[in-house]
Amino acid sequence: MKHGDLVSRMTLEEKCALLAGKDVWHTREIPRLNIPAITLSDGPSGLRKQAGEGDHLGLNASTKATCIPSAATLACSWDDTVSEAMGAVVGRDAANQKVDVLLAPGLNTKRSSLCGRSFEYYSEDPYLSGKLAAGFIRGAQKQGVSACAKHYAANAQELLRMHSDSVMDERTLREMYLTNFEIAIKEGKPGFVMTAYNRVNGVYANESRHLLGDILRGEWGFDGAVVTDWGGSNSIVEGVREGMNLEMPAAGDDSPCQLVKAVKDGTIDEKIIDERVDQLLDFVLAEHKSGESSFDAAKQHQAAEAAAEKCLVLLKNDEHLLPLKKDARVAVIGEFAARSRYQGAGSSMVNAAQVDDTLPMLDEFFPARVGFAQGFERLDAANDALADEAVQLAKTADCAVVYLGLPECFETEGLDRTHMRLPENQIALMKKLRAVCKKMVVVLSCGSAVETDWAQDCDALLYAGLGGEAVARSVLRALAGEITPGGKLAETWYRHYADAPVSHYYPGTEATSEYREGLYVGYRYTESADVAPAFAFGHGLS
């Protein structure tokens, strides 16, 4: 053991207490041995350090930080240097705010576009996911913080996520749902790995000897610390036995007492406790950077903008409508132009330090614009007055630029989508605009695939994803031709959700979620079954 002398001076009670959190975001300190507490914070789209009383769902306010493009959007860059740069951005925020462990990146394979946290994960392809996650980890850890790869493993639905059992054959598990983690861990070398809430083939991920002992620590040689997802420990004794180092958040003294009792009655060997404590001490005792004087918020924002530019995907551009001329008489339509949709909801939500909005910047790019109309309500509610106002404005323009997307409540932790469509009020508006528009560009903001039958009514379609706090300017630069949108889709966009092989049994609504499609996720299915998608994995014009 690296810290054998220190571990030998700890009481059994102290050792067991160290393996269970102090509160929502901190480990326990042991002052008499100069063992400090460390701070853990979300997240994948930017730091979410809560200023007041902590909670893991993002209910209470957090301190301001840089909101980067979501993982699903970053993946459209197909560039691990872009991902590494964003890991560095979030890592600098973490170091500046004295956070020791960054609970990111999320890299689960995107089995279904309907997963509520699909925006937090990179791709349907485990190789691409692993490479991008490794880049993010390297970028973050160069700033002196530890990254935490999550959620290990086979976490593909939010419904019943605390006890759902992901059931699959070993080949599918290895190739589709572990390859991503293997690449990220071997190439990125994260300090921490977070276990998933769900079971995998009958055993909770946090208690799985196969996942934690045989594969993670055995085959892959992971020598870091394993932390539970928040509330994801069902038995601290079984978790510690199989490889877990830290149960979060705090459960008072109940969990340490359970461990102490288990040692005393012979249920678990104290040598295992010592080993887990020794592994955790590597990070508790590490020297972490904090409050760097070189921190520059403006440069953080610029870096987020540069990344957003690399992730824009041009899905359609009939007759080379884009880029628009600077003197184009443009009508800007859509509620998402007035208030950008730039990130997902849930525990990944960032209190963005600086958010660019479209409307204040329009004169810079399109000074001849004819105006703005909201067009629709953000939530799916019919409003004929808003639609009619948009139609009248569009009649006066050379081109309508229509900002569409999914509302925040469609993409959030804890809930899966029930369908793959845009809200009906947006689709209805598109039909009305098509009848009067000479030319129409759609800017689409969402963190995962949507059905695009309505795209036949537009001449150009630019996918902005959830591009972070600076995405609005990036989009305008692309529309005006200042930059080339060269991103490529990192997941398959089916014509209709029914075309997806998981559509008839996702999400699992009973005790098990059966991965009947096996290896045939996304492009592996469309290529093998000769199913034509709306937009293929890797699609993107320029």
Side-chain angles (χ1 to χ4, degrees), residues 65-87:
T66 315
C67 182
I68 65 168
S70 68
T73 305
L74 279 178
C76 294
S77 73
W78 287 63
D79 188 340
D80 61 352
T81 66
V82 174
S83 185
E84 183 169 344
M86 290 301 94

Side-chain angles (χ1 to χ4, degrees), residues 105-109 120-123 129-130 133 137 149-151 180-181 184:
L107 62 145
N108 291 90
T109 300
E120 289 190 43
Y121 303 142
Y122 292 103
S123 176
S129 295
I137 292 164
K150 63 182 187 181
H151 308 87
N180 42 352
F181 282 95

Side-chain angles (χ1 to χ4, degrees), residues 191-208:
F192 283 72
V193 167
M194 180 189 291
T195 53
Y197 287 125
N198 51 279
R199 295 180 173 95
V200 179
N201 290 330
V203 182
Y204 280 109
N206 192 60
E207 300 170 10
S208 173

Side-chain angles (χ1 to χ4, degrees), residues 20-27 38-42 48 50 52-58 60 103 227-231 246-252:
K22 173 185 176 181
D23 52 31
V24 176
W25 299 117
H26 301 90
T27 61
I38 59 173
T39 302
L40 305 90
S41 284
D42 292 316
R48 189 183 72 87
Q50 289 185 294
E53 186 174 350
D55 69 87
H56 72 284
L57 294 177
N60 291 335
L103 303 177
V227 60
T228 68
D229 202 342
W230 265 232
L246 180 60
E247 178 188 88
M248 292 296 288

Side-chain angles (χ1 to χ4, degrees), residues 344-357:
S347 64
S348 70
M349 185 174 286
V350 179
N351 184 6
Q354 176 185 339
V355 180
D356 290 342
D357 278 316

Side-chain angles (χ1 to χ4, degrees), residues 28-311:
R28 298 177 190 242
E29 63 276 295
I30 303 177
R32 76 175 187 88
L33 296 175
N34 296 317
I35 296 175
I38 59 173
T39 302
L40 305 90
S41 284
D42 292 316
S45 299
L47 183 69
R48 189 183 72 87
K49 182 184 180 184
Q50 289 185 294
E53 186 174 350
D55 69 87
H56 72 284
L57 294 177
L59 302 179
N60 291 335
S62 56
T63 56
K64 288 195 177 291
T66 315
C67 182
I68 65 168
S70 68
T73 305
L74 279 178
C76 294
S77 73
W78 287 63
D79 188 340
D80 61 352
T81 66
V82 174
S83 185
E84 183 169 344
M86 290 301 94
V89 165
V90 185
R92 283 192 291 270
D93 272 337
N96 187 58
Q97 297 191 31
K98 301 182 180 180
V99 168
D100 304 300
V101 182
L102 179 65
L103 303 177
L107 62 145
N108 291 90
T109 300
K110 297 169 76 162
R111 181 184 176 217
S112 170
S113 299
L114 299 191
C115 176
R117 297 182 85 168
S118 191
F119 67 92
E120 289 190 43
Y121 303 142
Y122 292 103
S123 176
E124 67 189 31
D125 181 72
Y127 180 82
L128 179 59
S129 295
K131 287 289 187 178
L132 292 169
F136 186 97
I137 292 164
R138 288 192 297 268
Q141 295 195 156
K142 286 177 182 177
Q143 313 312 311
V145 302
S146 293
C148 178
K150 63 182 187 181
H151 308 87
Y152 183 74
N155 173 216
Q157 68 178 59
E158 290 298 284
L159 182 70
L160 305 176
R161 64 178 181 166
M162 302 299 287
H163 59 82
S164 177
D165 186 3
S166 299
V167 177
M168 70 195 80
D169 62 90
E170 185 72 6
R171 182 184 175 189
T172 297
L173 175 65
R174 294 275 188 160
E175 293 188 19
M176 295 304 299
Y177 300 98
L178 295 185
T179 293
N180 42 352
F181 282 95
E182 181 177 8
I183 293 170
I185 287 162
K186 288 183 175 180
E187 297 185 11
K189 303 186 184 305
F192 283 72
V193 167
M194 180 189 291
T195 53
Y197 287 125
N198 51 279
R199 295 180 173 95
V200 179
N201 290 330
V203 182
Y204 280 109
N206 192 60
E207 300 170 10
S208 173
R209 179 170 301 178
H210 187 48
L211 289 176
L212 300 184
D214 299 342
I215 298 174
L216 180 64
R217 295 197 184 277
E219 296 178 21
W220 300 346
F222 177 70
D223 61 357
V226 174
V227 60
T228 68
D229 202 342
W230 265 232
S233 174
N234 294 277
S235 166
I236 192 171
V237 175
E238 293 305 312
V240 168
R241 186 200 310 282
E242 303 308 340
M244 181 267 288
N245 301 87
L246 180 60
E247 178 188 88
M248 292 296 288
D253 291 328
D254 184 58
S255 289
C257 287
Q258 288 182 38
L259 267 183
V260 170
K261 181 177 182 299
V263 171
K264 289 181 176 179
D265 66 18
T267 302
I268 187 170
D269 193 321
E270 189 170 355
K271 291 181 180 179
I272 296 176
I273 306 293
D274 292 348
E275 182 179 359
R276 301 293 175 256
V277 169
D278 187 69
Q279 291 162 340
L280 184 60
L281 283 174
D282 256 3
F283 303 95
V284 171
L285 300 177
E287 183 177 346
H288 297 277
K289 294 181 183 178
S290 61
E292 293 183 279
S293 58
S294 60
F295 181 79
D296 189 325
K299 287 185 178 179
Q300 295 280 90
H301 184 78
Q302 290 167 6
E305 181 179 342
E309 291 175 358
K310 298 285 188 181
C311 302

Side-chain angles (χ1 to χ4, degrees), residues 412-486:
T412 182
E413 179 180 0
L415 296 172
D416 297 308
R417 280 194 282 165
T418 58
H419 59 77
M420 215 173 83
R421 301 184 303 276
L422 284 182
E424 294 298 327
N425 61 350
Q426 296 183 35
I427 297 173
L429 175 63
M430 283 289 293
K431 292 178 180 177
K432 292 181 178 180
L433 290 174
R434 180 74 278 178
V436 301
C437 280
K438 299 172 184 177
K439 297 291 181 180
M440 181 162 32
V441 178
V442 168
V443 176
L444 183 61
S445 298
C446 52
S448 191
V450 295
E451 293 177 5
T452 54
D453 285 348
W454 48 266
Q456 64 187 355
D457 291 329
C458 67
D459 302 288
L461 175 56
L462 181 66
Y463 176 52
L466 297 178
E469 63 180 44
V471 68
R473 176 173 288 276
S474 300
V475 166
L476 287 171
R477 293 192 71 200
L479 295 177
E482 291 186 7
I483 59 170
T484 298

